[in-house]
Amino acid sequence: MATEVKVPVLGESITEATLGEWLKKPGEAVQADEPIASLETDKVSVEVPSPVAGVMGEWAVKVGDTVEVGAMIATIEAGDGSAAAKPAAAPAAAPAATAGQQAPAQPSSDTPAALSPSVRRAVLETGVDPSNLKGTGKDGRLTKDDVLAAKPAPAPAAAPLPVAPSVAAATGRKEERVRMTRLRQTIAKRLKDAQNTAAMLTTFNDVDMTAVIEARAKYKDLFEKKHGVRLGFMGFFVKAATMALKDIPSVNASIEGDEIVYHDYADISVAVSSPGGLVVPVIRDADQMSVATIEKTIGDFGKRAKDGTLKMDEMKGGTFTISNGGVFGSLMSTPIINPPQAAVLGLHRIDERPVVVNGQVVVRPMMYLALSYDHRLIDGREAVTFLVALKNAIEDPTRILIDL
């Protein structure tokens, strides 16, 4: 008797998703709760587990199809998969392989079920046997980089046969059309909606990073030994931002209809990269956290965004966003607000530049700061005051310690 596999509940207000990848083929053995497919929602990838143990039945939808919550996408047949594991060798009438011929290779049964979607995809693309690899991720789990590093070197290419030249080969002009993922479509829509709705404006300042760099260099080894995480710059900026938000509450507010909602807490959305695009998980109650706890949380978000294992609940809400384009080499930018938030802080790369200090020209590590804000809610004085408060805290980190 076949058991239907249906699209699970995906979260509040999310009614449909796109089938991103099948993780099991028809005829393969499946364990209860083992992921058989990966769905792409507006925010994250979600794995669909098998409700029972058995054999993977027929697929009801194709990769790229849109499916609604509760819709059937496949069936699980009764059995243990032993008969399906050797479809080519079972029939008695099948002729023996002749000399110089080999039977088709069977799919490896050693692939761990716990692999994330991005790691499974890398395994399929490279042909690497994951059972022979040592994982470098948390609790020894395999990462995409582990699989790519074990990819065998390609064999020397044989000399191509002469063919008639095509127009594309002659001109070197090629095109590739790739359908936008649901995540990329949502990002595009939300960012354009933000431009169309908010009266968006950006103000700039720069900050001398000398004190933070010196503190990091002095304490990074002790910090990592005690807390098990590297001391970066984001911990300082998140903590400094939460202090500035208390001083200028309108930057931490939002507009709902004809009302302004002020928040007495700071849930900081931190923009991180994922294989499908930029995602913004939320550090809840960041104003109550230590720098060490903030660094641990950001590190965990970054790793799970790369593996595609962030949860949708972790990306809901947020009262203020910090986007660090400096890790990619950005000198200056005008970040776009993440609705319904009223402001977003953009960080950039650190460059040594000549500045005047106490009447003397000196070289200092400087960073440009950009605050994009909704002018319907935040006026210029408040935006500039926020950036100055942030600048003061970073240039004198003692202010963060004594909440000044």
Side-chain angles (χ1 to χ4, degrees), residues 99-220:
Q101 293 181 329
Q102 295 180 348
Q106 300 303 318
S108 170
S109 60
D110 298 324
T111 303
L115 296 181
S116 68
S118 62
V119 177
R120 283 198 193 89
R121 190 176 294 112
V123 168
L124 293 174
E125 292 174 353
T126 61
V128 172
D129 185 353
S131 64
N132 295 329
L133 303 183
K134 183 178 180 180
T136 60
K138 184 178 180 182
D139 298 327
R141 294 189 63 175
L142 283 178
T143 67
K144 182 179 179 181
D145 291 339
D146 294 333
V147 177
L148 296 179
K151 180 181 179 181
L161 297 175
V163 295
S166 64
V167 175
T171 63
R173 294 162 58 87
K174 298 181 180 179
E175 291 183 349
E176 181 182 7
R177 293 179 181 268
V178 180
R179 183 174 179 176
M180 292 175 68
T181 64
R182 180 172 292 273
L183 174 60
R184 177 54 60 184
Q185 293 177 43
T186 301
I187 291 172
K189 182 179 184 302
R190 285 176 60 84
L191 294 183
K192 189 57 184 175
D193 286 346
Q195 287 184 318
N196 294 338
T197 302
M200 196 156 55
L201 185 65
T202 304
T203 186
F204 301 92
N205 211 320
D206 61 2
V207 58
D208 185 345
M209 296 291 292
T210 300
V212 167
I213 291 175
E214 290 178 350
R216 183 170 178 262
K218 183 176 181 180
Y219 297 112
K220 64 179 182 179

Side-chain angles (χ1 to χ4, degrees), residues 287-372:
D287 53 316
Q288 305 298 321
M289 291 183 177
S290 66
V291 171
T293 305
I294 292 171
E295 289 287 2
K296 289 179 181 178
T297 304
I298 294 174
D300 178 61
F301 283 159
K303 180 181 182 303
R304 291 194 290 122
K306 186 176 181 181
D307 292 341
T309 57
L310 281 172
K311 299 177 182 178
M312 281 179 290
D313 287 344
E314 294 173 313
M315 289 184 285
K316 292 180 180 178
T319 60
F320 182 75
T321 295
I322 299 179
S323 178
N324 186 6
V327 298
F328 305 109
S330 172
L331 174 65
M332 187 179 293
S333 67
T334 56
I336 300 179
I337 297 169
N338 180 24
Q341 298 172 18
V344 53
L345 175 67
L347 308 181
H348 303 90
R349 76 173 188 241
I350 301 170
D351 282 334
E352 289 191 340
R353 293 197 294 269
V355 295
V356 178
V357 178
N358 297 326
Q360 301 293 322
V361 177
V362 295
V363 176
R364 292 291 178 86
M366 304 296 293
M367 175 195 288
Y368 287 118
L369 304 176
L371 182 75
S372 293

Side-chain angles (χ1 to χ4, degrees), residues 64-106:
D65 286 353
T66 297
V67 292
E68 296 184 351
V69 172
M72 186 193 77
I73 60 173
T75 59
I76 303 296
E77 306 290 342
D80 58 7
S82 58
K86 302 177 181 179
T98 60
Q101 293 181 329
Q102 295 180 348
Q106 300 303 318

Side-chain angles (χ1 to χ4, degrees), residues 2-19:
T3 301
E4 294 184 348
V5 180
K6 298 182 178 181
V7 178
V9 175
L10 301 171
E12 183 181 355
S13 75
I14 299 179
T15 60
E16 62 181 20
T18 300
L19 184 69

